[in-house]
Short mmCIF file of all heavy atoms in Angstrom, two decimals:
data_model
loop_
_atom_site.label_atom_id
_atom_site.label_comp_id
_atom_site.label_asym_id
_atom_site.label_seq_id
_atom_site.Cartn_x
_atom_site.Cartn_y
_atom_site.Cartn_z
N THR A 45 138.84 72.14 65.55
CA THR A 45 137.63 71.39 65.89
C THR A 45 137.78 69.91 65.52
O THR A 45 137.52 69.02 66.33
CB THR A 45 136.40 71.96 65.14
OG1 THR A 45 136.27 73.34 65.46
CG2 THR A 45 135.14 71.21 65.52
N SER A 49 138.07 67.24 68.54
CA SER A 49 136.87 66.41 68.69
C SER A 49 137.23 64.94 68.61
O SER A 49 136.72 64.11 69.36
CB SER A 49 135.84 66.74 67.61
OG SER A 49 135.44 68.08 67.73
N VAL A 53 135.98 62.69 71.80
CA VAL A 53 134.85 61.78 71.73
C VAL A 53 135.30 60.37 72.07
O VAL A 53 136.02 59.74 71.30
CB VAL A 53 134.22 61.83 70.32
CG1 VAL A 53 133.14 60.80 70.20
CG2 VAL A 53 133.67 63.22 70.07
N LEU B 171 133.85 71.75 78.06
CA LEU B 171 133.84 71.71 76.59
C LEU B 171 133.73 70.26 76.10
O LEU B 171 132.99 69.95 75.17
CB LEU B 171 135.10 72.37 76.02
CG LEU B 171 135.24 72.31 74.50
CD1 LEU B 171 134.10 73.08 73.81
CD2 LEU B 171 136.58 72.87 74.04
N CYS B 174 130.23 69.28 76.32
CA CYS B 174 129.40 69.90 75.27
C CYS B 174 129.60 69.16 73.94
O CYS B 174 128.64 68.92 73.21
CB CYS B 174 129.77 71.37 75.08
SG CYS B 174 129.49 72.40 76.52
N ILE B 175 130.84 68.83 73.63
CA ILE B 175 131.12 68.16 72.36
C ILE B 175 130.52 66.76 72.32
O ILE B 175 129.86 66.38 71.35
CB ILE B 175 132.65 68.14 72.08
CG1 ILE B 175 133.10 69.56 71.72
CG2 ILE B 175 133.00 67.16 70.96
CD1 ILE B 175 134.57 69.71 71.42
N ASN B 176 130.70 66.02 73.41
CA ASN B 176 130.10 64.68 73.46
C ASN B 176 128.59 64.73 73.34
O ASN B 176 127.97 63.92 72.66
CB ASN B 176 130.49 63.98 74.76
CG ASN B 176 131.78 63.19 74.59
OD1 ASN B 176 131.95 62.49 73.61
ND2 ASN B 176 132.69 63.34 75.53
N THR B 178 126.76 67.09 71.98
CA THR B 178 126.36 67.50 70.64
C THR B 178 126.48 66.36 69.64
O THR B 178 125.62 66.17 68.79
CB THR B 178 127.21 68.70 70.18
OG1 THR B 178 127.11 69.72 71.16
CG2 THR B 178 126.74 69.21 68.83
N LEU B 179 127.55 65.61 69.77
CA LEU B 179 127.75 64.49 68.85
C LEU B 179 126.56 63.53 68.92
O LEU B 179 126.10 63.00 67.92
CB LEU B 179 129.04 63.75 69.17
CG LEU B 179 129.39 62.73 68.10
CD1 LEU B 179 130.12 63.38 66.94
CD2 LEU B 179 130.21 61.60 68.66
N LEU B 182 123.57 64.77 66.93
CA LEU B 182 123.66 64.91 65.47
C LEU B 182 122.74 63.89 64.81
O LEU B 182 122.50 62.82 65.35
CB LEU B 182 125.09 64.63 65.00
CG LEU B 182 126.18 65.66 65.29
CD1 LEU B 182 127.52 65.14 64.79
CD2 LEU B 182 125.86 66.99 64.66
N PHE B 190 131.06 61.06 60.77
CA PHE B 190 132.10 61.75 61.55
C PHE B 190 132.96 60.76 62.34
O PHE B 190 134.19 60.84 62.34
CB PHE B 190 131.45 62.77 62.50
CG PHE B 190 132.43 63.44 63.41
CD1 PHE B 190 133.20 64.51 62.97
CD2 PHE B 190 132.62 62.99 64.71
CE1 PHE B 190 134.12 65.13 63.81
CE2 PHE B 190 133.54 63.60 65.56
CZ PHE B 190 134.29 64.67 65.10
N ARG B 220 129.47 68.78 57.68
CA ARG B 220 128.38 69.33 58.51
C ARG B 220 128.58 69.02 59.99
O ARG B 220 128.33 69.86 60.85
CB ARG B 220 127.04 68.78 58.05
CG ARG B 220 126.64 69.38 56.75
CD ARG B 220 125.19 69.10 56.43
NE ARG B 220 124.89 69.73 55.15
CZ ARG B 220 123.98 69.29 54.31
NH1 ARG B 220 123.26 68.24 54.62
NH2 ARG B 220 123.78 69.92 53.18
N ALA B 221 129.01 67.79 60.25
CA ALA B 221 129.24 67.42 61.66
C ALA B 221 130.33 68.31 62.26
O ALA B 221 130.18 68.84 63.35
CB ALA B 221 129.63 65.94 61.75
N ARG B 222 131.41 68.49 61.51
CA ARG B 222 132.51 69.32 62.02
C ARG B 222 132.05 70.75 62.26
O ARG B 222 132.43 71.38 63.25
CB ARG B 222 133.67 69.34 61.02
CG ARG B 222 134.43 68.03 60.96
CD ARG B 222 135.49 68.14 59.87
NE ARG B 222 136.23 66.90 59.66
CZ ARG B 222 137.01 66.70 58.60
NH1 ARG B 222 137.16 67.65 57.69
NH2 ARG B 222 137.66 65.56 58.48
N LEU B 223 131.25 71.27 61.33
CA LEU B 223 130.80 72.66 61.48
C LEU B 223 129.91 72.83 62.70
O LEU B 223 129.98 73.84 63.40
CB LEU B 223 130.05 73.11 60.22
CG LEU B 223 130.92 73.31 58.97
CD1 LEU B 223 130.05 73.63 57.76
CD2 LEU B 223 131.95 74.41 59.17
N THR B 224 129.08 71.83 62.94
CA THR B 224 128.22 71.91 64.13
C THR B 224 129.07 71.90 65.40
O THR B 224 128.85 72.68 66.32
CB THR B 224 127.23 70.73 64.15
OG1 THR B 224 126.44 70.79 62.97
CG2 THR B 224 126.30 70.81 65.36
N LEU B 225 130.08 71.03 65.42
CA LEU B 225 130.96 70.97 66.59
C LEU B 225 131.77 72.26 66.73
O LEU B 225 132.01 72.74 67.84
CB LEU B 225 131.89 69.75 66.49
CG LEU B 225 131.17 68.40 66.55
CD1 LEU B 225 132.12 67.25 66.22
CD2 LEU B 225 130.54 68.17 67.92
N MET B 226 132.12 72.86 65.60
CA MET B 226 132.85 74.13 65.65
C MET B 226 131.99 75.22 66.28
O MET B 226 132.48 76.04 67.04
CB MET B 226 133.24 74.51 64.22
CG MET B 226 134.01 75.80 64.07
SD MET B 226 134.69 75.82 62.38
CE MET B 226 134.68 77.55 62.03
N GLN B 227 130.71 75.19 65.97
CA GLN B 227 129.82 76.19 66.58
C GLN B 227 129.66 75.96 68.07
O GLN B 227 129.41 76.88 68.83
CB GLN B 227 128.46 76.18 65.87
CG GLN B 227 128.56 76.81 64.50
CD GLN B 227 127.22 76.91 63.80
OE1 GLN B 227 126.53 75.90 63.64
NE2 GLN B 227 126.84 78.10 63.40
N VAL B 228 129.80 74.69 68.47
CA VAL B 228 129.78 74.40 69.91
C VAL B 228 130.98 75.08 70.58
O VAL B 228 130.85 75.68 71.65
CB VAL B 228 129.82 72.88 70.17
CG1 VAL B 228 130.00 72.58 71.64
CG2 VAL B 228 128.56 72.22 69.66
N ILE B 229 132.12 75.00 69.91
CA ILE B 229 133.31 75.65 70.49
C ILE B 229 133.17 77.17 70.44
O ILE B 229 133.52 77.86 71.40
CB ILE B 229 134.60 75.19 69.77
CG1 ILE B 229 134.69 73.66 69.78
CG2 ILE B 229 135.84 75.80 70.44
CD1 ILE B 229 135.94 73.09 69.14
N ASP B 230 132.61 77.71 69.34
CA ASP B 230 132.33 79.16 69.26
C ASP B 230 131.54 79.59 70.49
O ASP B 230 131.87 80.56 71.17
CB ASP B 230 131.44 79.47 68.05
CG ASP B 230 132.22 79.52 66.73
OD1 ASP B 230 133.46 79.59 66.78
OD2 ASP B 230 131.58 79.45 65.67
#
Side-chain angles (χ1 to χ4, degrees):
Chain A
T45 303
S49 299
V53 174
Chain B
L171 177 63
C174 298
I175 288 180
N176 270 315
T178 305
L179 190 83
L182 288 177
F190 175 81
R220 288 193 180 151
R222 288 176 184 167
L223 290 175
T224 301
L225 294 171
M226 181 166 148
Q227 286 184 305
V228 172
I229 306 182
D230 281 345

